[in-house]
Amino acid sequence: MNARQPIFIALDIEATAPGTEAGEIIEIGIVRFSLDSDVWETYSSPVHPGGIIPHRIHRLTGIREEDLRNAPHFSEVQSAVATLLQGGAIVGHSIAFDRKRLEHHGVTAPGPWIDTLELAALLLPELSSHSLSTVAQALGIPITIHHRALEDAEVTATVFRALFARLERLPPPTLLGLASIIQANEWPLRHIFNLAVERGVTTQHIPVLRPSSAHGDIGRELPHLSSNDIEPLQPARTRTPLTPEDLGQVWSPQGRLARTFPGYEERDYQRTLSEHIAGAFNKSEWLIAEAGTGTGKTLAYLVPAALWALHNGERVVISTNTINLQDQILTKDVPDLERALGSHLTVQILKGRQNYLCLLRWMEFRSRRALELPLTVPEARALGKILVWLLHTETGDVADVALNGEELGIWSQIMATQETCVNDACAFKRRGQCFLFNARRRAEAAHLVIVNHALLLADLISNSRVVPEFQHLVIDEAHQLEQQATSSLSVILSRRDLTALLSDLMPPESERSHQQPLLLRLHRYISNDTVSSARLLQDIEATGKAAQEVRAASDYLFNALEGQLFLNGASTSEEILRVTQQVRATEQWQIVMTAADHWNDLASHLHERLDSLQDKLEKLPQTVREGIEEHRGLLASLAQRWREVRSQLSGLVDTATDDHKVYWLSGSQGQPLTVHSAPLDVRSVLREQLYEPCDTVILTSATLSVDRSFTYITDRLGLNQRAATLSIPSPFNYREQVLLLDLEDLLEPQAPQYTVQLHQALIEFARGSEGRGLVLFTANATLRAAQRAIAPELARDGITVLAQGIDGSRQHLVATLRHQQRVFLLGSASFWEGIDVPGEALSALAIVRLPFAVPTDPVFAARSEQYARPFDEYAVPQAIVRFRQGFGRLIRRATDRGVLLILDSRIRTKSYGRRFLQSLPQCTRRTTTIRHIHTETAAWLHHR
């Protein structure tokens, strides 16, 4: 490319299948331009597609079939297009699609091909979307016509020029860093980075520096991160209780909410719930509060929590299970509350360590990769985005940088971990530049601290102290607390995990040309320092040798474990072996014990070597220690991780292990064996480490009771008689709003013809509701089979079937259901809760099977053994809670109207089915047949 006046060519193609490589071209637009001149050469032509134009394309572009009746075929414009694409860099938004379309028609161009979407994701990482219109709006570029080729090409050219101007304004170390990390890389943006550097040097904007110096001292380049001036919240000398007047000033028809929000209507149930929660704060009580859908429970607990924190200077921690609820609290409920209270309410969201960038690991990663093989394109993209993002991020939260797909693979190598933070001497922490530490400092100064269950529990269990101390806790979505506590106390360890940990210390000889492990880098530094002793070098070498010995022993141990898992022959499906005392007592398990004893001896030796090496490094002169500060911190983290791995594997093979954990092996042929452990019981942990240190504990959800009793949930969550209970019903009129269809001709799920019936029922249901529906599955295989069976049939009716795991992310699928007509959504797992689609968009809900846990799940099986009647006392209550959550997706506001279809005949034929039905509100119930689902559904939704 000519550094002085390079030519760029903006390209846009409209086709019959936008966003894919398929479809026929219907319009093409080309703009030839330069960076410094406003004189542009443009070209535009309609193209006859040789077929029909789908209705959705007409709605998107405004192009009709009659508009293209006399248009040239692409072969007639091919030569002109090919000529215009020569002699410059070709620019487009998601350019790969257009490039492949042209190549399919025989048009090639040398390029380079520059994607403005990639460039925007790099330079505007704060945007949640990088569509052309979103990027243009962020840059202040007007768009008057959408989805027409020439207009979009002109916008693309303008966007590119604006983005390049931003690139040129980057600080020199960042710009040089971008250029240096991709010199031997195939990422097309390298041409743009190099051009920016060349133009900067030519105009004396950028000094001529060695590429290696572009890495710089990142800590000193980020002064905006310092949190040393943040003052923590100061508790009042004496507590001030909340009074009825305090709450009345907020909730009454003449109160602050009414004055802030026109049309505000007082809700008795919401105010009642809020008053009980305020009473719990005043009396230092534990309260279990079930609040039906539509109660407004989030604001009901936020009001007393905020008032308590403001009056008493004591933070309140609020924990949710889903990100959706966290976002709702932070972006909607808290701002509403602030406006109503007229006070400065400080709120801080905290996430798990893995969400924050660790600057220590980031620097180590960049210095290590500088010595290794060239970066892959996804690695280059990830590093480039993070380089630019670091210039302005104050949180270091991965959610704020647009890493996608393979780029996320980098994050695990640079995110904060508990092991990394064992070293309090970290320079970034001392300077007040550690993202994780800064988030905690801001939380110490906040009235309300928003966390999720996973962080709350992991923090307590590991004593990692990310969440500041608190005495008041609100747990929303409390029905998920046991599962999250189980996950936080669980361990998953594979051969690959073990190998990766050892490779970070010292990989096999064959891999050392591809990476520079910690011990080799430490050895190289120490050997160049005359102050350090030869004995220290010997210790480093001995530690590396110990790691190699453990690697060999680990292979032997995992081979022995695989022998146990596949004892009865290889299997292509996943095998699971629960390691009970009976399994440990078998003769075959002795092979594992022999391998484990050998492994443990060598692992113990490595442990000793790591501890000894750390001690010797700490005794080095200060000037030498400062030179290896990064290495010492990483060595401490690896040593900590190694201690954990030893403990985890020891529990698996120790015949004297206690009965408080469940162990199992899983794997299949071609997939690595994985070792698992989970707690059998989390009640004592929750009670002793979570509830008892608190004065106030509020647990709330829409689904906490079973058989109109809280006995099941109080037992599972370890809540003693100190906890009071409260049940607030939903304000909705379910008898008027919901029709429950009972199918008298539906077979048992195990019946051979059940699947045929299921698919026919779903087709009839979707037709009756005109899409606008959600189907909840308990198995992904059943979901995929249904999608294959019903999608073609419903397409004839203009109904689009979308399926989880096939048609996009959960967020995308829900947004499509919410905003597009005639959509029928199939979901499992996470779709049973946290989905909020009010109005007609979700008018039909089908539950395919009652959501029982898989009986062979090791944790479920082990916990079942604790009950005299495990099915009635454990399996059914657990399934009822999930069933009620699924039902809660249907009616989200008082004006909603919907149909519930349960496609599991056991709800009618089995005695326990009555318990599921009784757990639901009083709905209108009708018995019908599969053939009449269509008419019954349509009649209810149209009030007939």
Side-chain angles (χ1 to χ4, degrees):
M1 296 176 65
N2 184 333
R4 292 183 178 177
Q5 201 56 264
I7 298 300
F8 295 93
I9 305 154
L11 168 69
D12 187 78
I13 291 175
E14 299 298 329
T16 55
T20 71
E21 300 165 15
E24 295 298 323
I25 297 174
I26 57 176
E27 191 174 52
I28 187 165
I30 297 174
V31 176
R32 292 174 64 90
F33 67 99
S34 69
L35 293 172
D36 302 319
S37 173
D38 292 327
V39 178
W40 293 5
E41 177 185 355
T42 64
Y43 169 87
S44 177
S45 176
V47 178
H48 195 293
I52 64 172
I53 296 180
H55 178 65
R56 65 189 184 94
I57 301 303
H58 164 61
R59 286 195 303 168
L60 183 70
T61 64
I63 300 173
R64 302 168 299 177
E65 286 186 36
E66 50 265 38
D67 296 333
L68 303 179
R69 192 168 292 132
N70 299 317
H73 290 270
F74 187 81
S75 59
E76 299 175 61
V77 300
Q78 179 176 348
S79 177
V81 169
T83 300
L84 286 167
L85 294 180
Q86 302 298 314
I90 301 168
V91 176
H93 213 72
S94 297
I95 192 66
F97 295 137
D98 290 346
R99 181 179 186 178
K100 291 193 175 184
R101 285 197 188 97
L102 291 175
E103 289 175 348
H104 176 73
H105 286 81
V107 175
T108 60
W113 294 71
I114 307 298
D115 194 337
T116 48
L117 186 148
E118 283 193 331
L119 191 58
L122 178 88
L123 296 172
L124 302 169
E126 70 278 6
L127 296 184
S128 58
S129 166
H130 290 93
S131 66
L132 182 61
S133 58
T134 302
V135 172
Q137 182 180 10
L139 295 170
I141 298 169
I143 299 181
T144 55
I145 299 176
H146 293 269
H147 300 293
R148 294 304 297 262
L150 181 58
E151 287 77 7
D152 281 358
E154 290 174 335
V155 170
T156 300
T158 307
V159 162
F160 175 78
R161 286 175 33 137
L163 290 173
F164 190 87
R166 283 192 170 226
L167 184 67
E168 287 190 297
R169 291 196 298 270
L170 291 177
T174 302
L175 187 52
L176 282 168
L178 287 172
S180 67
I181 63 176
I182 57 172
Q183 288 306 308
N185 185 273
E186 294 303 314
W187 193 17
L189 288 189
R190 71 184 187 277
H191 301 282
I192 301 303
F193 301 148
N194 288 335
L195 176 63
V197 172
E198 292 170 12
R199 283 166 58 96
V201 170
T202 302
T203 57
Q204 297 183 352
H205 292 156
I206 298 176
V208 180
L209 301 174
R210 292 179 295 106
S212 60
S213 69
H215 298 287
D217 181 353
I218 194 168
R220 305 192 189 284
E221 295 169 10
L222 303 174
H224 66 285
L225 294 184
S226 180
S227 66
N228 291 330
D229 57 347
I230 296 176
E231 294 294 332
L233 199 64
Q234 294 298 320
R237 292 184 178 180
T238 57
R239 286 177 173 172
T240 303
L242 301 178
T243 65
E245 290 75 20
D246 292 330
L247 296 176
Q249 289 176 6
V250 177
W251 293 116
S252 72
Q254 296 79 36
R256 292 172 177 171
L257 285 172
R259 292 197 300 269
T260 306
F261 302 105
Y264 167 80
E265 293 183 5
E266 183 181 14
R267 289 189 268 183
D268 292 340
Y269 287 154
Q270 185 180 46
R271 182 166 180 171
T272 299
L273 176 59
S274 188
E275 288 171 347
H276 277 83
I277 292 172
F281 274 97
N282 288 340
K283 300 173 186 177
S284 296
E285 289 182 341
W286 300 357
L287 174 66
I288 304 170
E290 181 178 77
T293 306
T295 306
K297 65 177 170 57
T298 306
L299 203 57
Y301 63 68
L302 281 175
V303 166
L307 291 174
W308 183 270
L310 287 166
H311 289 181
N312 296 292
E314 296 179 348
R315 75 182 58 87
V316 179
V317 170
I318 296 171
S319 182
T320 74
N321 189 58
T322 61
I323 294 175
N324 285 347
L325 183 53
Q326 269 192 347
D327 290 343
Q328 175 195 315
I329 292 172
L330 200 64
T331 62
K332 180 183 181 300
D333 295 323
V334 166
D336 288 350
L337 189 58
E338 281 186 303
R339 289 197 298 274
L341 295 180
S343 302
H344 181 59
L345 181 68
T346 56
V347 182
Q348 174 65 28
I349 187 168
L350 280 179
K351 299 183 179 180
R353 291 176 182 271
Q354 70 276 9
N355 291 281
Y356 298 99
L357 177 73
C358 172
L359 291 171
L360 179 67
R361 296 187 78 201
W362 163 250
M363 291 296 290
E364 188 274 339
F365 177 81
R366 287 190 61 189
S367 61
R368 172 162 49 90
R369 288 311 306 257
L371 302 171
E372 296 173 14
L373 294 176
L375 295 165
T376 65
V377 171
E379 287 174 336
R381 285 198 200 102
L383 291 182
K385 289 177 180 180
I386 293 169
L387 270 174
V388 177
W389 173 62
L390 274 171
L391 294 174
H392 57 80
T393 180
E394 295 184 359
T395 65
D397 186 348
V398 65
D400 298 332
V401 59
L403 298 182
N404 303 302
E406 294 178 71
E407 298 166 15
L408 284 168
I410 293 287
W411 189 256
S412 64
Q413 302 179 62
I414 58 177
M415 67 187 186
T417 65
Q418 185 179 347
E419 299 82 24
T420 314
C421 298
V422 297
N423 186 5
D424 287 334
C426 172
F428 300 108
K429 186 175 180 180
R430 286 201 312 271
R431 296 175 194 155
Q433 294 176 320
C434 169
F435 290 115
L436 179 64
F437 182 70
N438 286 359
R440 188 186 189 282
R441 290 287 297 272
R442 286 190 290 269
E444 288 178 338
H447 295 105
L448 302 182
V449 179
I450 314 297
V451 302
N452 60 29
H453 297 350
L455 170 61
L456 176 71
L457 294 161
D459 197 57
L460 289 173
I461 291 162
S462 64
N463 198 30
S464 59
R465 299 179 62 79
V466 174
V467 183
E469 292 185 3
F470 58 90
Q471 293 179 294
H472 310 284
L473 173 65
V474 178
I475 301 174
D476 201 346
E477 301 175 309
H479 63 281
Q480 284 285 4
L481 190 61
E482 182 187 19
Q483 176 57 44
Q484 285 298 340
T486 302
S487 297
S488 297
L489 287 164
S490 296
V491 170
I492 302 176
L493 183 66
S494 70
R495 185 201 300 253
R496 186 178 299 161
D497 296 329
L498 205 55
T499 300
L501 176 59
L502 293 167
S503 291
D504 284 342
L505 280 169
M506 182 64 70
E509 191 75 39
S510 60
E511 297 179 11
R512 292 183 195 172
S513 60
H514 303 306
Q515 57 180 329
Q516 294 292 321
L518 176 61
L519 292 177
L520 282 181
R521 283 179 283 128
L522 192 58
H523 189 284
R524 182 181 297 111
Y525 186 93
I526 297 296
S527 62
N528 292 330
D529 182 76
T530 57
V531 178
S532 305
S533 66
R535 181 60 185 273
L536 180 56
L537 294 175
Q538 293 174 0
D539 286 341
I540 296 173
E541 293 168 358
T543 305
K545 182 180 178 182
Q548 295 288 56
E549 291 172 344
V550 173
R551 178 193 295 275
S554 299
D555 286 339
Y556 184 51
L557 173 58
F558 271 80
N559 287 340
L561 291 170
E562 285 179 353
Q564 298 297 305
L565 184 62
F566 302 118
L567 197 60
N568 298 319
S571 172
T572 55
S573 60
E574 185 179 39
E575 293 283 339
I576 295 177
L577 173 67
R578 184 176 157 204
V579 182
T580 61
Q581 292 290 13
Q582 290 76 15
V583 170
R584 292 189 178 96
T586 62
E587 184 177 342
Q588 294 91 341
W589 191 257
Q590 297 309 306
I591 300 172
V592 173
M593 291 302 300
T594 301
D597 288 342
H598 178 59
W599 181 88
N600 198 49
D601 289 341
L602 294 175
S604 178
H605 177 60
L606 176 58
H607 188 170
E608 293 169 359
R609 298 256 29 127
L610 288 169
D611 286 346
S612 174
L613 183 56
Q614 286 185 89
D615 288 341
K616 288 183 170 61
L617 292 176
E618 290 298 324
K619 294 174 182 177
L620 289 171
Q622 182 176 350
T623 54
V624 180
R625 289 203 313 273
E626 289 176 351
I628 57 171
E629 180 178 311
E630 171 187 316
H631 300 76
R632 289 190 300 124
L634 292 168
L635 184 64
S637 71
L638 289 172
Q640 173 68 18
R641 178 66 180 134
W642 185 247
R643 284 189 285 272
E644 292 177 356
V645 167
R646 280 193 63 207
S647 174
Q648 292 159 5
L649 279 179
S650 296
L652 170 72
V653 298
D654 187 358
T655 56
T657 188
D658 60 41
D659 295 326
H660 298 304
K661 287 189 177 181
V662 185
Y663 292 92
W664 70 99
L665 309 175
S666 70
S668 61
Q669 291 300 100
Q671 295 295 323
L673 176 138
T674 305
V675 176
H676 306 256
S677 75
L680 180 60
D681 194 331
V682 298
R683 287 173 280 203
S684 60
V685 171
L686 291 175
R687 184 171 55 251
E688 295 167 10
Q689 298 190 45
L690 185 60
Y691 314 140
E692 289 183 352
C694 292
D695 290 342
T696 311
V697 179
I698 311 295
L699 295 99
T700 186
S701 169
T703 56
L704 291 175
S705 64
V706 175
D707 299 326
R708 294 178 171 79
S709 167
F710 289 96
T711 302
Y712 170 76
I713 202 72
T714 54
D715 174 62
R716 296 311 309 170
L717 296 184
L719 291 157
N720 56 28
Q721 294 180 349
R722 177 180 169 183
T725 60
L726 173 69
S727 181
I728 302 289
S730 170
F732 297 155
N733 185 346
Y734 285 99
R735 190 179 294 278
E736 295 291 331
Q737 293 180 254
V738 177
L739 171 67
L740 192 161
L741 290 180
D742 182 8
L743 301 179
E744 61 184 2
D745 58 343
L746 185 66
L747 297 171
E748 293 275 335
Q750 295 79 14
Q753 290 300 308
Y754 170 77
T755 300
V756 175
Q757 283 193 325
L758 168 65
H759 296 163
Q760 187 57 44
L762 291 176
I763 290 170
E764 296 295 330
F765 196 40
R767 285 172 173 164
S769 63
E770 301 175 9
R772 300 186 297 171
L774 171 65
V775 186
L776 296 176
F777 292 81
T778 57
N780 289 325
T782 309
L783 182 153
R784 290 191 292 269
Q787 191 268 348
R788 290 193 297 270
I790 72 175
E793 189 72 20
L794 290 174
R796 299 188 182 99
D797 298 287
I799 296 173
T800 302
V801 177
L802 299 178
Q804 180 184 4
I806 298 173
D807 297 305
S809 67
R810 178 178 185 265
Q811 182 181 11
H812 167 74
L813 294 176
V814 173
T816 304
L817 177 64
R818 185 180 288 121
H819 299 299
Q820 293 189 17
Q821 297 180 352
R822 304 182 73 79
V823 171
F824 201 58
L825 177 56
L826 314 184
S828 66
S830 61
F831 281 78
W832 282 78
E833 56 185 279
I835 301 297
D836 187 11
V837 184
E840 293 184 353
L842 205 170
S843 300
L845 175 72
I847 294 177
V848 173
R849 296 189 68 165
L850 299 179
F852 286 107
V854 178
T856 55
D857 176 79
V859 177
F860 177 82
R863 288 177 175 172
S864 296
E865 294 167 2
Q866 297 177 307
Y867 291 87
R869 296 180 296 114
F871 184 74
D872 290 334
E873 296 176 334
Y874 182 50
V876 171
Q878 185 186 71
I880 285 175
V881 171
R882 189 154 180 78
F883 178 75
R884 293 181 65 200
Q885 277 291 324
F887 171 78
R889 301 314 99 213
L890 183 59
I891 302 298
R892 306 302 298 172
R893 61 189 183 191
T895 56
D896 287 355
R897 187 174 177 89
V899 180
L900 171 66
L901 177 64
I902 301 174
L903 294 165
D904 190 333
S905 61
R906 292 176 296 176
I907 202 160
R908 178 171 45 87
T909 62
K910 301 298 183 183
S911 59
Y912 59 78
R914 187 179 303 109
R915 295 175 66 184
F916 283 87
L917 288 174
Q918 289 175 345
S919 74
L920 298 179
Q922 291 295 318
C923 307
T924 296
R925 184 176 174 186
R926 291 179 189 165
T927 300
T928 188
T929 62
I930 294 173
R931 187 163 61 92
H932 291 100
I933 291 174
H934 182 166
T935 55
E936 291 281 6
T937 300
W940 180 265
L941 294 180
H942 291 92
H943 299 266
R944 293 199 295 265

